[in-house]
């Protein structure tokens, strides 16, 4: 897959039910990781790094572009593509976040990271130095 497809897949599967700002934030988390020496320096390597994003290890296929069964999914595919294109072109919202989770879970790591804020049903965090 191309970097565009990998980033769009992350946006689609992780945030398609979120407001546009939340989808953009998920894309920015991926790109913040790419820019950091702590993670791989390629979009696809970050997205598909072992157990980093839930959709990559749920046992289902990751071909977001095949989700065309209903108008909602067709629209979500188009939005994910547009968000990924925009983010890869440098259109950022200014987050430093490197992590996020849904509001209905409480991962143990979240107590050790700087909470940046909540967008939709995701809480975003920046990893402290060395984490």
């Amino acid at each position: 897959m191309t970097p565009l497809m990998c980033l769009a897949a992350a946006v689609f599967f992780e945030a398609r039910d979120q407001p546009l700002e939340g989808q953009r934030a998920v894309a920015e988390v991926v790109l913040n990781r790419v820019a950091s020496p702590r993670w791989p320096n390629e979009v696809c390597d970050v997205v598909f790094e072992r157990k980093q994003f839930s959709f990559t290890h749920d046992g289902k296929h990751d071909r977001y572009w095949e989700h065309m069964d209903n108008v909602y999914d067709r629209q979500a595919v188009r939005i994910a593509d547009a968000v990924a294109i925009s983010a890869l072109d440098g259109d950022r919202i200014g987050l430093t976040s490197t992590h996020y989770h849904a509001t209905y879970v409480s991962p143990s790591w979240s107590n050790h990271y700087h909470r940046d804020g909540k967008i939709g049903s995701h809480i975003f965090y920046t990893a402290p130095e060395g984490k």
Side-chain angles (χ1 to χ4, degrees):
M1 289 198 326
T2 67
L4 171 62
M5 295 167 78
C6 292
L7 188 56
V11 170
F12 180 84
F13 288 114
E14 294 285 308
R16 70 178 173 223
D17 63 341
Q18 298 301 299
L20 183 59
E21 184 181 17
Q23 293 181 53
R24 293 180 69 203
V26 165
E28 197 145 325
V29 164
V30 172
L31 295 179
N32 287 344
R33 287 184 178 199
V34 169
S36 170
R38 295 182 227 166
W39 287 278
N41 60 0
E42 298 291 334
V43 171
C44 291
D45 293 341
V46 166
V47 170
F48 291 100
E49 187 174 19
R50 189 170 184 270
K51 296 200 175 193
Q52 293 298 303
F53 296 96
S54 58
F55 82 93
T56 65
H57 58 276
D58 63 4
K60 299 175 184 174
H61 75 77
D62 300 328
R63 297 178 303 275
Y64 73 98
W65 61 88
E66 291 182 2
H67 289 264
M68 297 292 195
D69 297 335
N70 59 63
V71 67
Y72 175 76
D73 281 344
R74 286 191 297 274
Q75 181 180 18
V77 166
R78 287 192 298 275
I79 292 169
D81 281 336
V83 166
I85 289 167
S86 179
L88 289 168
D89 282 345
D91 185 18
R92 306 290 174 84
I93 59 176
L95 290 179
T96 60
S97 303
T98 52
H99 293 72
Y100 63 88
H101 65 79
T103 55
Y104 54 84
V105 298
S106 294
S108 60
W109 57 260
S110 66
N111 295 327
H112 307 286
Y113 288 38
H114 173 74
R115 182 179 167 151
D116 298 324
K118 179 179 171 283
I119 303 173
S121 62
H122 285 132
I123 302 172
F124 292 84
Y125 299 84
T126 298
E129 281 300 313
K131 295 241 182 210

